Amino acid sequence: MAKLSVSKGVNQSETFILNSDLISIGRSVENNIVLQDISVSRHHAEIRKSESGYLLVDLSSLNGSYVNGKRIKEKILENGDEIKIGATLLSFTEEDSIVLKECGFSESGTVVKPISDVRREQACLFPTELVPSSDIAKISRKPSQRLFILYQIANVLNSATNLSELLNRIMDMVFKVVHAERGFLFLLDKDGSLIPKVVRQPFKVGEGSIPVSHSICNRVIKEKVSILTSDALFDPRFKSEDSIHRFSIRSALCVPLWREDEVIGLIYVDNSTTRNRFTEEDMNLLTAVANQSAIAIERERLNQKIVEKAKLIDNLEKYHSPQVIDMILKDMDRNVGTRTGSLLTAKEIEATILFSDIENFSGIAEKLKPVQVSDLLNRYFTIMTEIIFHFEGTLNKYLGDGILAVFGAPFPKKDDADRAVRAALKMRSELLKTEELNFNTRIGLNTGLVVAGNIGSEQRMEYTVLGDIVNTASRIETMAEPNQILISETTYKKLKGNFRVELLGERSVRGKEKSVVLYEIIDEVD
C-alpha cells in the first residue's frame, strides 16, 4: 500500500491512499487529491503507477513540484521521499505488507463489551491473495481467518466513490459476515439524534417506523459498548421495552461506529424468529467491521469537505484577490458551523465603489464578429480584474462591458479609497498602452455605507453590494468624459493626499434630488 501524508499546509494531517494507476493532484475539484492551496495550480501534477514504481510527473505547473528539495519534471518516488507542491509538504510511504500481533478474542461469553477492550483485541493481517467478497461468509471464524475477512472488507470500503455508496457497501458486508434478518446503519446528527442512513428489512413495518430497540441503541452510544442479546424478549434489561415486543425482536446485536473515542453512529442487526442466532464471535467481528467502517466514513466526510472547500475557493477566485480569499478562509475556520463565516454574511459596511464602462462599446461591437467581441472583452476583463485584485479589491460583477468593483468589502481597511483610486489610475494607464484595446473608458467612484455579503436563495447565493452609494457611483461614471476618473466628495475626503485632484463643483445626478460635488483624479503624486 502506498500513501501520501500531508505534514504541512492547509490539508495538514490528511492521508491519501494511492489506490489507482493514475492519481491527479491540484487545486481543482476534478483531481483525485485536492490541495486547498492557492499556490497550487489547478492541475499541478500526477502520480503514475508502473512496473518501476510510483512516478511523480509535474504538469508544467507555475510553481513547480519538488522532491527532497529539488525541482523535478518527473521522478520515481522512494519510500520516505518528501514532496513539496505549492506550500504543501507531503511524505510518500510504501509498505508491501503489515503484520501486527494477532490478539485473541474473549471466549468468556460476555455480551457487553467496551470499545477499549475491543480495540486491544483488534489487529490487521494482510494475506497474499484476495478472496472474492462472495466467499467471505464461507470462511470459518478462527482468529487469523477473521482478520483476513477484515482485510477484504477494507479493500471493498476503499473502493467506494461517495458516502451513500460507502454506507450501502458497509451494510452489504455486514450481511455477509453475520446472519441477520434486518439491519440498520445510523449516523449521529449534530444534536445527537440517530439518523437512519441504510435500512435493510424484508418487509415494511409502517411509515417512518424503524424496528429497533431504542434501549439497546441508547446504551451503545451512551456507554460506548457493543451489545449482544441472545433473546431480547426474555432479557431483563430490555424485555419491558415496547419495541422489543412490537417488532418481535429476539436475537439482537448492536455495535458503535467510533472514531478515536467518539461514537459517530451505530450498526444494528437482529432476528425475530431464531434464538441464540448471534454469538460473541459475531459481536467481535461486527465490532471490528464497525471500527473500519467509521474510519472510512470519516475519511469520506473529510473528502466531501475538501471538495466543498475547493469549490468555494474556485468561486471566491472569481471575485476576490488571493489575500482576501486567505482572510475569508481563516474567518470561516474560526466560525465553524456557519454557512459563510462572518466576513461573507450580509451586513452594513463602509466601502468605496468603482464603476468602469467602455465608451460607445455598442458601436465598436457592430464592426466585429461575435467571437471577436468575446475575445476583446475577455482580454479587457482579464487585465482589469488583475489590477483590481492587485489592489485588494473585490470584483462584484461584470455588467455587459462594464465592471463593478468594491474596496472595503468583505474586509475593510483604512486606505480603501486610496487603493480604489490607485486601481482606477492603473486601469486607465494599462488600457492606454495596450495596443489591441484601442478604446476609451469612463470611471466613477463613490464612498459610503453599503450592504455587502452573500445574498440570494438556497439554490443560488451571490456576493454583492447594495445601497444608494452603489447607484450614485454608477451615475457618476456616466458623467465622466472618455478616460476621465471622477470621484464623489465622500471619496475625496477619505484620500490621504497622495493624488493630484481637481474640483469640478456641483453636478445634478439623474434620479436624485440633491446634486453631488465631483472631483477629477488627474494622477498620483510622486
Side-chain angles (χ1 to χ4, degrees):
M1 179 180 69
K3 61 184 181 180
L4 291 178
S5 302
V6 182
S7 58
K8 182 180 178 182
V10 180
N11 300 66
Q12 189 167 343
S13 301
E14 291 178 33
T15 297
F16 302 99
I17 306 300
L18 305 184
N19 55 3
S20 176
D21 290 341
L22 179 63
I23 301 290
S24 58
I25 305 172
R27 198 177 73 250
S28 170
V29 295
E30 300 167 356
N31 293 287
N32 302 109
I33 297 177
V34 180
L35 298 180
Q36 306 164 38
D37 181 347
I38 58 176
S39 61
V40 173
S41 297
R42 293 176 62 83
H43 300 284
H44 197 105
E46 290 179 347
I47 295 180
R48 302 169 185 171
K49 187 178 180 182
S50 66
E51 294 181 359
S52 304
Y54 289 88
L55 178 67
L56 174 66
V57 180
D58 183 79
L59 301 177
S60 301
S61 63
L62 179 63
N63 294 319
S65 301
Y66 296 79
V67 176
N68 300 327
K70 295 182 179 179
R71 187 164 184 167
I72 57 95
K73 290 185 177 179
E74 57 181 55
K75 184 185 183 301
I76 295 291
L77 296 174
E78 299 178 3
N79 203 22
D81 276 350
E82 184 179 73
I83 302 167
K84 183 175 183 293
I85 294 179
T88 303
L89 290 181
L90 309 99
S91 297
F92 173 79
T93 53
E94 184 177 11
E95 301 163 340
D96 294 329
S97 64
I98 302 176
V99 180
L100 302 179
K101 181 181 178 182
E102 184 181 320
C103 302
F105 285 76
S106 170
E107 303 295 337
S108 64
T110 302
V111 294
V112 177
K113 183 170 288 188
I115 290 175
S116 56
D117 290 351
V118 177
R119 184 180 288 125
R120 286 195 296 270
E121 295 172 349
Q122 293 181 4
C124 295
L125 183 66
F126 289 73
T128 56
E129 296 181 1
L130 296 180
V131 172
S133 60
S134 58
D135 295 338
I136 288 178
K138 301 176 184 178
I139 299 176
S140 63
R141 301 299 178 82
K142 294 179 182 179
S144 62
Q145 292 165 327
R146 181 171 58 240
L147 297 170
F148 187 9
I149 293 173
L150 298 182
Y151 172 64
Q152 305 299 316
I153 290 172
N155 277 276
V156 171
L157 297 184
N158 284 333
S159 63
T161 58
N162 57 64
L163 184 59
S164 176
E165 180 185 351
L166 173 63
L167 298 180
N168 277 282
R169 286 196 176 190
I170 289 170
M171 288 306 293
D172 289 341
M173 304 311 298
V174 166
F175 274 80
K176 290 182 186 298
V177 299
V178 297
H179 299 284
E181 290 178 5
R182 299 177 294 210
F184 308 89
L185 189 153
F186 297 88
L187 293 182
L188 276 173
D189 202 359
K190 291 179 181 179
D191 62 0
S193 304
L194 279 173
I195 308 299
K197 293 296 184 180
V198 183
V199 175
R200 300 283 176 89
Q201 54 184 345
F203 52 86
K204 291 186 176 180
V205 294
E207 189 68 29
S209 182
I210 302 295
V212 301
S213 167
H214 297 290
S215 294
I216 293 176
C217 293
N218 291 336
R219 187 174 178 188
V220 166
I221 294 169
K222 184 177 179 180
E223 300 180 19
K224 300 181 181 179
V225 295
S226 295
I227 292 181
L228 162 67
T229 176
S230 298
D231 196 332
L233 287 173
F234 296 95
D235 193 317
R237 298 167 301 171
F238 312 116
K239 67 178 182 179
S240 63
E241 186 183 346
D242 176 64
S243 58
I244 296 290
H245 295 274
R246 186 153 46 101
F247 302 125
S248 300
I249 297 172
R250 303 296 290 265
S251 184
L253 179 55
C254 187
V255 299
L257 293 162
W258 81 91
R259 178 184 62 83
E260 297 176 351
D261 290 324
E262 178 188 3
V263 175
I264 64 170
L266 57 82
I267 296 173
Y268 176 100
V269 294
D270 67 17
N271 290 297
S272 62
T273 57
T274 306
R275 293 184 61 182
N276 301 315
R277 189 61 180 267
F278 301 125
T279 66
E280 187 183 350
E281 191 70 40
D282 291 323
M283 181 174 71
N284 290 329
L285 182 55
L286 190 57
T287 303
V289 170
N291 182 24
Q292 284 187 313
S293 299
I295 294 171
I297 289 169
E298 286 299 285
R299 184 186 64 236
E300 185 55 36
R301 280 175 165 176
L302 181 60
N303 287 339
Q304 286 185 344
K305 288 181 180 178
I306 291 171
V307 170
E308 289 171 4
K309 198 163 187 178
K311 287 180 179 178
L312 173 64
I313 292 173
D314 277 348
N315 188 51
L316 291 175
E317 285 178 335
K318 300 173 184 176
Y319 306 102
H320 304 289
S321 67
Q323 300 94 319
V324 173
I325 292 172
D326 185 55
M327 287 185 286
I328 290 171
L329 295 177
K330 287 178 180 177
D331 172 69
M332 294 184 72
D333 288 340
R334 288 192 299 268
N335 293 275
V336 176
T338 63
R339 182 173 180 184
T340 60
S342 63
L343 287 179
L344 296 185
T345 302
K347 57 182 176 292
E348 194 173 62
I349 194 171
E350 184 176 86
T352 295
I353 308 299
L354 182 153
F355 267 96
S356 174
D357 188 51
I358 297 174
E359 184 199 16
N360 189 32
F361 186 74
S362 298
I364 296 171
E366 283 180 3
K367 302 173 184 177
L368 301 174
K369 296 179 180 178
V371 68
Q372 291 175 312
V373 174
S374 174
D375 290 343
L376 184 67
L377 282 177
N378 286 340
R379 174 66 173 150
Y380 169 67
F381 285 144
T382 297
I383 295 173
M384 298 299 107
T385 302
E386 286 177 354
I387 293 170
I388 292 167
F389 286 174
H390 176 76
F391 290 98
E392 298 181 48
T394 293
L395 174 65
N396 188 262
K397 62 186 66 174
Y398 299 126
L399 303 163
D401 58 299
I403 296 173
L404 168 55
V406 185
F407 294 80
F411 192 78
K413 292 185 177 181
K414 293 181 179 179
D415 64 340
D416 289 327
D418 275 62
R419 286 184 292 105
V421 171
R422 286 194 177 96
L425 286 168
K426 184 69 173 176
M427 291 166 73
R428 182 173 67 183
S429 65
E430 284 297 310
L431 184 62
L432 291 174
K433 71 181 183 182
T434 304
E435 226 174 275
E436 64 268 32
L437 303 179
N438 56 344
F439 47 74
N440 301 315
T441 61
R442 298 183 299 264
I443 299 177
L445 296 93
N446 191 24
T447 302
L449 291 176
V450 299
V451 174
N454 278 346
I455 296 173
S457 66
E458 288 293 325
Q459 290 74 30
R460 178 179 170 81
M461 296 290 287
E462 182 180 77
Y463 189 87
T464 190
V465 287
L466 303 171
D468 182 63
I469 297 298
V470 181
N471 298 331
T472 301
S474 175
R475 300 286 190 270
I476 292 172
E477 175 266 308
T478 61
M479 292 188 286
E481 299 293 331
N483 294 325
Q484 189 179 38
I485 301 171
L486 297 184
I487 66 172
S488 68
E489 189 170 29
T490 53
T491 302
Y492 173 76
K493 289 179 178 179
K494 292 289 182 178
L495 298 180
K496 311 295 184 184
N498 299 316
F499 307 95
R500 285 204 307 120
V501 182
E502 183 178 323
L503 173 63
L504 300 182
E506 288 191 2
R507 300 286 177 88
S508 59
V509 178
R510 180 167 54 90
K512 291 180 68 70
E513 292 182 4
K514 292 184 179 180
S515 59
V516 296
V517 177
L518 295 182
Y519 296 79
E520 180 182 0
I521 298 293
I522 307 302
D523 57 28
E524 191 168 1
V525 177
D526 293 334

